[in-house]
Amino acid sequence: MPDKLVIVESPAKAKTISRYLGKNYEVTASKGHVRDLPESNIGLHPETLEPTYEILKGKEKVVQELSKKSKGKQVLLASDLDREGEAIAWHISELLGLPQNEKNRIVFNEITESAIKEAILHPREIDMSKVEAQVARRVLDRIVGYKISPILWRTMKRGLSAGRVQSVALKFMVELEKKIVVFEPHRFFKIFAKVGEDRFSLSRIEGKKFTNKSVITEEKRDEIISELSNTIFHVKNVKERTSKRNAPMPFITSTLQQSAISELGWSASKTMKIAQQLYEGIETDQGQIAFITYMRTDSTRISNQARDKAVEIIESKFGKEYVGPIRPGKKGKKIQDAHEAIRPTYPENDPEKARQLLSGDNLRLYALIWNRFIASQMASAEYSVTEVELEDENDKYILSLTGERRLFDGYEKIVSRSSKSEIDRDYKIGEKIKPSMIEWEEDTTKPPSRFSEASLVKELEKKGIGRPSTYATIITTLLDRKYVLRQSRELRPTLLGAIVNEFLNEYFPDVVDMNFTANMEEELDDVENGAKKWRDVVMGFYSGFKTDLDEIDKRIKKGELRIEFPTDKECSCGGYFKVVFGRYGGYLKCESCGKNESVDMTSFTCVIDGKVMLKDVAANQKIEIEIEEKCPECGSPLVIRKGRYGEFIACSAYPKCKYTRNVRIDAPCPKCGGVVEKLRSKKGKNYFKCSSCGELFWNEPTNEKCEICGSYLFLKVKRGGKKVLYCEKCKKEFEIGGD
């Protein structure tokens, strides 16, 4: 009989780890958190903010099983090595009554036999500073969520939410949208001289730079073209230099998300879901195998063993000259450097070998990680860069050309990068040049680009907002709340998102202040490092927050606080509409005649100087949300569109391609395993139908199974918009995110 119990978070990880431990060890899973703040109330003492915890709904049986299995055994807590994992270990320890000073916590960065056995030999005490940092974050988020969200319900609509970090991310997108709306483009000209296949661009006129900021008239353009066409140039300068492009660093959480979004077209949440599977282990012909190291990290450091293995692979595949120098991981105030970068657990399994064990999305992400890791340990790419300047006879105009020629590919053998084209011929200083043609192009200055998921992650990381493990959740929450929608690869704020942002800016400025939120993240790091106590950090925030909260509550009770925004949309009576909120959300009301009109709160617009810009927003504005799927008929991206009977899937190439279908959910039919489609009834209520057996469901089926009876669980939306997993057989509810 086993005399040691190892408790991990997920069944997949338990299955992988059990391969490496002997008969003395039993490995079981807690399936995520087992205890948390209560669902029905804030769960914090009104004065001290001390949290009260309770076992999560549906986890009672899990806790009983853990308690039963742990009797008379040495317990080793092997949850993930981040704050959340440390907190899970602490909660389990408390529930099982384990001694506080017992060395029962084991951590590992990779699920390999050597790493697991090494961790077993060196257990430590639970890191209470790390637990306190998680408690502080949880309490802060509970305060903001449970205090501000009800105000949004009372003044706007039930189901809305505000979050300590998500609200700052929303502000980034809304403020950017304002810049785009007020942006005034100006026309400019680019002028070129063709010399053989080389194309020189006009860069200076009388010593001043000529760029897209140089606004000239058509007459001035024609004058320049005429002068350039009637002159002979000489080569003023030829500069040659060698340039090195250093290999990229191995992936951290944020850069993995950015690359997967850009190169694979995935969302941040999908990237983390697939990465979690690769880390915990996947069932293969050779058994349950973990393929990558821990995927929630901000460190670019790798172990000596991993470096040695990479060098061995590079030498055998490409030669010794391709091996790069040892590169220390990046250091910085915001980098915790708790564990290694994301890399393959078995680097010898290159993508070709992995193809025998993995398929689909798992293989695609693994190949991305493997290539990046090996490239990071390779030599720099080297280029010969040539810069040539031509000058006219009167020393008035300078034309420039830069070209590159690769001397050594280095890491670009694996990870290619774009480069400037090679110059077509050699140029000698003083040489006379007569261009074969003078050309011009007209263009206009462009507004700032909207955020994609990749660029938003990059911005959040740059500003120190949130932490790598939270980025995917932040974006998913904003999309779920319809504060922003995905159009192609852009994230665009909606009217609802813009108004929520204006409300938070006015009444809770600290919550959406970038510096305030970034400083709070640093304070949480200080708690984790033992430099501060969590109660001091939380109370420091709450004192000012409560003052704002009490003032707003008084105004609501007195009827003084109503959310109304004037618009630029004119009514037929000559007056103007304003956005107001009623029982069912936002609508338009004329300030003069009182006429009401509906308004799509998911339309793309913003609030400028307190006024909603609706004049140019068409009533039937198409909202298209791109999904991670290609059209089966033409290969173009598929998008979610809104129609008369709700959402449907259509080809983005319409009207060239007219492919459409119903929205499908990511779970099989609980009855027959067929494809389930999302439909809408005549009364506007969503329901779900199996395309194979025809079974109907009012709640959305999921892939999760009930821990009590084994039936498939359904996604149930409760009052207030809260989602839970629901067993229709046992009539039990389970918290989402348990595993």
Side-chain angles (χ1 to χ4, degrees):
M1 289 289 290
D3 58 3
K4 296 180 178 66
L5 179 69
V6 180
I7 302 175
V8 297
E9 291 180 54
S10 77
K13 192 194 291 188
K15 195 172 181 180
T16 308
I17 291 175
S18 63
R19 292 184 66 204
Y20 307 127
L21 298 178
K23 61 183 180 180
N24 290 334
Y25 292 87
E26 179 182 1
V27 186
T28 190
S30 70
K31 300 180 181 178
H33 280 277
V34 293
R35 194 172 73 160
D36 197 4
L37 296 170
E39 179 189 327
S40 57
N41 58 73
I42 192 170
L44 304 176
H45 189 279
E47 294 179 3
T48 65
L49 300 182
E50 192 73 26
T52 299
Y53 297 107
E54 61 181 34
I55 296 172
L56 291 169
K57 282 186 179 179
K59 285 298 180 76
E60 297 88 352
K61 187 176 180 180
V62 173
V63 173
Q64 288 173 7
E65 285 295 316
L66 292 177
S67 180
K68 183 179 177 181
K69 290 180 178 180
S70 66
K71 288 286 190 287
K73 295 177 184 174
Q74 179 189 358
V75 176
L76 295 173
L77 305 168
S79 47
D80 287 348
L81 60 164
D82 57 6
R83 291 174 186 167
E84 288 295 317
E86 205 72 22
I88 288 172
W90 175 69
H91 282 297
I92 293 172
S93 175
E94 290 279 297
L95 289 170
L96 299 184
L98 304 180
Q100 286 189 357
N101 59 351
E102 184 177 329
K103 291 185 177 181
N104 53 22
R105 177 78 169 112
I106 60 171
V107 294
F108 37 83
N109 183 57
E110 59 183 42
I111 304 178
T112 59
E113 185 171 2
S114 59
I116 299 302
K117 289 184 174 179
E118 180 69 16
I120 292 284
L121 293 174
H122 300 95
R124 60 165 171 80
E125 293 179 18
I126 291 174
D127 186 341
M128 289 309 298
S129 293
K130 191 172 278 190
V131 172
E132 285 199 3
Q134 192 273 344
V135 170
R137 177 183 289 279
R138 192 76 185 91
V139 170
L140 286 169
D141 290 343
R142 178 57 68 105
I143 290 170
V144 173
Y146 265 65
K147 295 294 186 181
I148 298 182
S149 296
I151 291 176
L152 295 177
W153 301 350
R154 291 160 70 186
T155 56
M156 295 186 207
K157 181 186 176 184
R158 290 192 68 84
L160 302 183
S161 71
R164 188 179 56 85
V165 179
Q166 79 179 50
S167 299
V168 181
L170 174 63
K171 183 176 181 178
F172 283 169
M173 288 180 275
V174 171
E175 293 302 315
L176 178 61
E177 191 68 23
K178 290 181 182 181
K179 291 178 182 178
I180 294 170
V181 169
V182 302
F183 179 82
E184 294 183 5
H186 73 261
R187 192 172 59 155
F188 65 94
F189 298 99
K190 299 175 184 177
I191 299 173
F192 306 94
K194 287 290 293 286
V195 180
E197 294 300 315
D198 293 333
R199 198 177 191 221
F200 287 79
S201 60
L202 178 62
S203 58
R204 288 185 177 273
I205 302 177
E206 295 180 332
K208 294 182 180 179
K209 284 185 178 180
F210 184 74
T211 66
N212 61 0
K213 294 181 180 179
S214 305
V215 181
I216 59 173
T217 61
E218 292 184 8
E219 290 75 17
K220 182 64 176 176
R221 177 202 66 199
D222 293 341
E223 178 188 321
I224 293 171
I225 297 290
S226 177
E227 288 185 24
L228 294 177
S229 300
N230 295 298
T231 188
I232 294 177
F233 293 84
H234 65 271
V235 179
K236 176 182 173 66
N237 212 347
V238 178
K239 292 181 181 178
E240 293 188 358
R241 57 185 172 85
T242 301
S243 173
K244 283 190 175 184
R245 290 187 183 178
N246 292 328
M249 298 300 282
F251 280 133
I252 58 176
T253 305
S254 59
T255 53
L256 174 64
Q257 290 176 5
Q258 291 167 46
S259 291
I261 292 165
S262 302
E263 297 181 37
L264 304 180
W266 293 358
S267 64
S269 59
K270 177 176 179 177
T271 303
M272 296 308 291
K273 178 182 176 182
I274 303 299
Q276 184 87 31
Q277 293 171 3
L278 290 172
Y279 166 67
E280 292 183 345
I282 293 172
E283 188 63 47
T284 72
D285 293 340
Q286 298 176 18
Q288 190 91 358
I289 299 175
F291 284 85
I292 65 170
T293 55
Y294 193 55
M295 66 289 154
R296 293 187 179 91
T297 176
D298 60 2
S299 173
T300 55
R301 171 177 55 82
I302 65 167
S303 67
N304 293 333
Q305 295 90 336
R307 161 71 184 180
D308 293 343
K309 196 66 183 178
V311 169
E312 181 184 321
I313 292 168
I314 294 165
E315 286 184 352
S316 64
K317 280 182 173 287
F318 311 115
K320 288 186 177 181
E321 67 274 21
Y322 281 89
V323 176
I326 295 175
R327 304 167 72 193
K330 288 184 179 179
K331 298 290 183 182
K333 188 177 181 182
K334 297 174 184 175
I335 297 175
Q336 297 176 19
D337 195 34
H339 35 269
E340 283 188 75
I342 304 169
R343 61 169 177 80
T345 49
Y346 304 102
E348 60 270 22
N349 282 338
D350 61 27
E352 282 305 309
K353 291 179 182 176
R355 196 178 297 277
Q356 301 170 19
L357 303 170
L358 296 172
S359 61
D361 290 339
N362 288 320
L363 179 61
R364 294 172 73 193
L365 188 63
Y366 178 76
L368 193 70
I369 293 168
W370 190 92
N371 287 335
R372 178 67 167 248
F373 168 66
I374 296 299
S376 73
Q377 304 306 305
M378 293 177 72
S380 302
E382 294 184 15
Y383 284 81
S384 172
V385 181
T386 304
E387 298 170 349
V388 182
E389 288 185 340
L390 304 182
E391 188 174 46
D392 70 312
E393 297 166 315
N394 301 317
D395 300 340
K396 183 178 180 181
Y397 298 105
I398 298 287
L399 296 109
S400 305
L401 174 66
T402 301
E404 293 180 332
R405 180 169 56 86
R406 191 160 66 182
L407 303 174
F408 177 62
D409 52 4
Y411 77 92
E412 291 182 352
K413 197 89 172 174
I414 292 181
V415 181
S416 61
R417 291 288 185 269
S418 60
S419 61
K420 295 177 181 176
S421 58
E422 195 171 334
I423 292 178
D424 189 52
R425 48 161 286 189
D426 290 331
Y427 292 89
K428 307 295 182 186
I429 294 178
E431 177 187 356
K432 300 294 183 182
I433 299 287
K434 177 65 177 175
S436 58
M437 185 184 299
I438 303 297
E439 305 172 323
W440 63 270
E441 293 176 359
E442 182 178 334
D443 205 346
T444 57
T445 53
K446 302 293 190 296
S449 298
R450 291 185 177 92
F451 285 114
S452 63
E453 285 200 34
S455 60
L456 180 60
V457 166
K458 188 174 182 179
E459 186 71 6
L460 291 171
E461 181 185 36
K462 178 183 174 184
K463 296 292 196 299
I465 305 299
R467 282 295 177 258
S469 59
T470 66
Y471 298 150
T473 304
I474 291 168
I475 295 170
T476 299
T477 302
L478 292 172
L479 289 167
D480 287 347
R481 295 285 181 264
K482 299 291 192 294
Y483 292 165
V484 299
L485 292 177
R486 192 186 291 112
Q487 186 179 50
S488 186
R489 289 198 174 187
E490 293 182 336
L491 295 174
R492 297 190 62 178
T494 62
L495 172 58
L496 179 61
I499 288 177
V500 169
N501 178 70
E502 292 293 317
F503 175 84
L504 295 176
N505 261 320
E506 182 173 354
Y507 296 106
F508 297 96
D510 281 348
V511 170
V512 291
D513 181 76
M514 179 191 73
N515 293 325
F516 181 86
T517 305
N519 290 338
M520 185 61 69
E521 293 294 344
E522 291 182 8
E523 289 199 62
L524 291 174
D525 290 343
D526 288 340
V527 174
E528 180 171 344
N529 297 330
K532 289 186 177 179
K533 293 297 182 183
W534 76 265
R535 292 172 183 80
D536 297 335
V537 171
V538 169
M539 293 304 292
F541 165 81
Y542 188 64
S543 56
F545 178 78
K546 189 174 185 303
T547 302
D548 294 339
L549 204 65
D550 291 343
E551 181 60 31
I552 292 169
D553 191 53
K554 287 178 185 176
R555 293 185 61 184
I556 291 175
K557 287 177 178 177
K558 291 180 180 179
E560 298 174 354
L561 183 60
R562 288 182 59 84
I563 307 301
E564 296 182 353
F565 284 87
T567 77
D568 61 353
K569 184 177 180 180
E570 194 171 358
C571 177
S572 57
C573 75
Y576 284 86
F577 285 102
K578 60 183 178 180
V579 176
V580 298
F581 287 85
R583 183 179 178 184
Y584 300 105
Y587 63 97
L588 297 179
K589 187 180 187 69
C590 177
E591 295 179 289
S592 300
C593 68
K595 177 183 177 182
N596 294 340
E597 274 191 17
S598 62
V599 62
D600 185 355
M601 295 301 290
T602 64
S603 58
F604 295 133
T605 186
C606 63
V607 181
I608 304 291
D609 296 329
K611 182 180 288 188
V612 177
M613 302 290 105
L614 286 180
K615 186 167 62 176
D616 298 324
V617 176
N620 61 344
Q621 184 187 49
K622 289 183 179 179
I623 305 298
E624 297 183 355
I625 305 172
E626 189 172 314
I627 63 174
E628 294 159 353
E629 195 178 332
K630 301 295 183 184
C631 175
E633 294 184 3
C634 73
S636 300
L638 291 178
V639 296
I640 299 176
R641 287 190 177 139
K642 283 186 177 180
R644 183 178 179 185
Y645 300 106
E647 295 179 337
F648 65 97
I649 304 297
C651 180
S652 59
Y654 179 85
K656 289 184 179 179
C657 178
K658 297 183 179 179
Y659 173 83
T660 62
R661 65 167 172 79
N662 292 322
V663 173
R664 296 170 183 164
I665 66 167
D666 187 25
C669 172
K671 186 175 180 181
C672 73
V675 174
V676 178
E677 296 182 336
K678 181 180 178 181
L679 303 168
R680 195 174 181 182
S681 69
K682 291 181 180 179
K683 293 185 178 181
K685 184 176 174 65
N686 288 331
Y687 68 98
F688 304 87
K689 181 179 180 180
C690 176
S691 58
S692 299
C693 68
E695 189 76 12
L696 300 179
F697 311 96
W698 284 114
N699 292 316
E700 181 179 338
T702 73
N703 289 301
E704 305 295 326
K705 288 190 175 181
C706 177
E707 297 167 4
I708 299 170
C709 69
S711 302
Y712 277 104
L713 297 176
F714 291 80
L715 189 66
K716 184 178 179 181
V717 182
K718 303 179 71 176
R719 290 186 64 183
K722 180 177 176 60
K723 296 179 181 179
V724 296
L725 293 173
Y726 177 69
C727 179
E728 294 191 342
K729 186 176 180 181
C730 300
K731 309 300 181 187
K732 288 270 189 179
E733 292 180 359
F734 302 88
E735 194 78 16
I736 290 177
D739 59 351

